[in-house]
Amino acid sequence: MKDKTTLATYLLTKKALMMCLLSFVLGAAARFLVYWDGNRQQEPEKEVWDGGKYEGEMEDGEPNGNGTFERNDTTWTGTWTNGIDFEGTVTGKGFEYDGKARNLKFDGYGVCRYADGQAYWGYWKDGKKDGLGRLVDKQLGMSFGIFRADEYVKPEAQAFTAGKAVYGIDVSHHQEDSRWGNTIKWQDLYLSADNTGAIQSVQDTQTGCRQPVLFVYAKCTEGAEWHDGRYVFSRDNAHRCGILFGSYHFYTMTATPEEQARNFMEYAMLASGDMPPVLDLEKNESRRKISNSEFAPVVESAKKWLRIVEDSCHVRPVIYTNMNIYRDFLSRDSFFSSYDLWIAALGDTHPDVPRCVFWQKSHTWKMNGIAGGVDVDVYLGKDYGSLVEYVRQNGVK
């Protein structure tokens, strides 16, 4: 009896010890998990710097690399160099800024959008608008030209308001070909003008009057396979500089409409707010003269390209062509009567054509920001506000 009691007591004691040991192990494991999890999720400690708090890469006590700085309800997120130069986004009470800064003051090129609806694209110095810039208000009225210490400096002779006439350009790799010395400095683009606002084909005039470039069409694709190597660069810079952007396809005579539509839709980067896509329809066989009878099947096949692209992006394309093709083909076919047009008619008189929205007036214009000649276009609507409304209704959604 005693042996059985002793055995029972031993077994109970052993079980109790095992339970205690298990409880200790589980408790320790739980405490470790809580400690590990809490430390794993804990945010990195922010450094005190220049009266605020900084989180990111530092060197010798200064922001150097990617990081975020917060001070006085303003947040700076971007890339720093030695705590002095900055490029990125700044958000604060009533504004958002994208661009460059120096010593925590906007400096260099940048874009600032304000809570009251204003927006400024241009240069800054010591935290103030200074240099070439464009200030647009909520009603889309604008001041364009040179700013000094936040104030627009209107040329004495200027008797026009920027944006009443609307100018644009169309570009391709030809404007960005280093072999020819051609480059585009997007943030420096402007057309010289006389005191009435009429643009001049020179890079500067004694009046100091300037017209802004307010829209651009960039070549995207050609035929069944070709892509323009500068298309993405043009798109990104136009968006950065607040220039309305559109994409066009150069229609060739040797590829099917299905192949050409697929090429365009696969490569084009159509973004909400962009202008409607364009079909560039012209006789493009340069080795010989193309008769109308030879070109008629090309015009017919272009109809299919238009249908495919419209069905794919849910936007009706604009047709670019010249007066001869319009007169001989488009004006005689009711299929084209519902399409807006962009007509090349070189000279000083815009084409008197129904549904003509854009007019290409030159192939060789000289302007600030582009080395070499460029195509200059005119929007034939009322003003910049009406172009914005046109794009809202007819552009990419």
Side-chain angles (χ1 to χ4, degrees):
M1 184 69 179
K2 182 178 180 181
D3 292 339
K4 291 183 178 180
T5 302
T6 302
L7 179 61
T9 302
Y10 169 78
L11 292 174
L12 287 171
T13 303
K14 186 177 180 180
K15 184 176 181 181
L17 288 172
M18 292 296 293
M19 292 297 292
C20 287
L21 180 60
L22 181 61
S23 178
F24 174 82
V25 171
L26 291 175
R31 286 191 295 273
F32 173 78
L33 288 172
V34 169
Y35 173 82
W36 176 78
D37 189 63
N39 279 274
R40 179 177 64 86
Q41 295 182 6
Q42 184 179 3
E43 293 184 0
E45 186 175 348
K46 296 181 180 179
E47 301 282 348
V48 175
W49 178 76
D50 205 0
K53 292 184 178 181
Y54 176 81
E55 178 186 326
E57 298 173 284
M58 298 191 80
E59 187 174 322
D60 297 327
E62 301 285 357
N64 203 34
N66 295 323
T68 298
F69 176 65
E70 297 175 352
R71 188 180 71 179
N72 299 334
D73 299 320
T74 302
T75 302
W76 303 65
T77 302
T79 303
W80 306 76
T81 304
N82 300 325
I84 297 173
D85 293 316
F86 169 87
E87 185 166 6
T89 301
V90 185
T91 56
K93 288 185 176 179
F95 74 90
E96 180 173 289
Y97 173 84
D98 289 292
K100 295 183 177 181
R102 187 174 179 82
N103 292 322
L104 298 179
K105 293 183 179 180
F106 304 160
D107 200 281
Y109 186 83
V111 180
C112 196
R113 295 175 174 83
Y114 300 92
D116 64 3
Q118 290 192 96
Y120 174 79
W121 293 265
Y123 286 94
W124 302 75
K125 184 178 180 181
D126 201 27
K128 296 181 179 180
K129 303 174 190 70
D130 201 285
L132 183 67
R134 175 163 56 99
L135 181 66
V136 180
D137 62 30
K138 188 176 182 179
Q139 287 73 41
L140 300 180
M142 72 176 67
S143 299
F144 175 78
I146 301 300
F147 287 74
R148 293 286 179 244
D150 268 345
E151 297 295 327
Y152 169 59
V153 183
K154 185 177 180 179
E156 204 170 299
Q158 184 169 313
F160 67 92
T161 300
K164 293 297 183 182
V166 184
Y167 298 101
I169 57 175
D170 56 277
V171 299
S172 70
H173 62 286
H174 293 301
Q175 279 72 47
E176 285 283 348
D177 194 323
S178 58
R179 294 174 301 174
W180 304 336
N182 290 351
T183 59
I184 300 178
K185 297 180 179 177
W186 288 87
Q187 58 213 39
D188 296 332
L189 291 178
Y190 70 78
L191 295 142
S192 294
D194 65 18
N195 66 327
T196 69
I199 58 174
Q200 309 295 302
S201 185
V202 290
Q203 286 191 326
D204 204 359
T205 66
Q206 293 181 349
T207 67
C209 299
R210 301 169 176 86
Q211 289 279 20
V213 173
L214 296 173
F215 67 92
V216 58
Y217 268 105
K219 187 174 184 178
C220 177
T221 48
E222 177 177 330
E225 297 180 349
W226 189 85
H227 305 152
D228 194 298
R230 303 304 292 176
Y231 167 75
V232 175
F233 179 84
S234 296
R235 172 189 179 273
D236 290 348
N237 277 280
H239 285 167
R240 177 177 64 89
C241 294
I243 301 171
L244 292 169
F245 178 79
S247 309
Y248 77 86
H249 173 81
F250 189 84
Y251 200 77
T252 63
M253 300 173 61
T254 55
T256 69
E258 292 87 355
E259 291 171 331
Q260 299 196 57
R262 181 174 60 252
N263 185 27
F264 179 74
M265 292 307 303
E266 287 180 353
Y267 192 72
M269 302 173 70
L270 306 179
S272 177
D274 281 353
M275 298 195 295
V278 164
L279 175 65
D280 182 341
L281 182 61
E282 51 188 294
K283 295 179 180 179
N284 52 60
E285 175 57 74
S286 59
R287 290 172 296 179
R288 60 187 180 85
K289 187 175 181 179
I290 303 299
S291 67
N292 279 357
S293 60
E294 290 178 281
F295 194 63
V298 179
V299 175
E300 193 64 29
S301 74
K303 295 178 182 180
K304 195 159 192 177
W305 186 98
L306 292 165
R307 293 192 196 98
I308 294 170
V309 171
E310 182 173 354
D311 289 344
S312 297
C313 65
H314 310 292
V315 176
R316 176 158 291 190
V318 171
I319 301 172
Y320 167 90
T321 195
N322 57 47
M323 283 300 298
N324 288 335
I325 292 174
Y326 171 76
R327 182 182 58 249
D328 294 342
F329 295 98
L330 307 191
S331 67
R332 301 181 180 187
D333 190 331
S334 61
F335 173 87
F336 298 104
S337 62
S338 61
Y339 286 87
D340 289 339
L341 301 173
W342 173 11
I343 300 291
L346 308 184
D348 295 325
T349 304
H350 69 78
D352 184 15
V353 170
R355 300 190 72 103
C356 183
V357 176
F358 300 103
W359 162 39
Q360 186 181 77
K361 69 179 273 108
S362 174
H363 292 322
T364 57
W365 209 266
K366 304 291 184 181
M367 61 183 298
N368 195 72
I370 296 182
V374 66
D375 297 341
V376 167
D377 305 287
V378 183
Y379 169 65
L380 296 178
K382 179 182 177 183
D383 54 19
Y384 177 65
S386 69
L387 174 59
V388 171
E389 179 61 20
Y390 173 80
V391 174
R392 188 187 70 80
Q393 294 187 13
N394 301 282
V396 180
K397 303 298 189 288

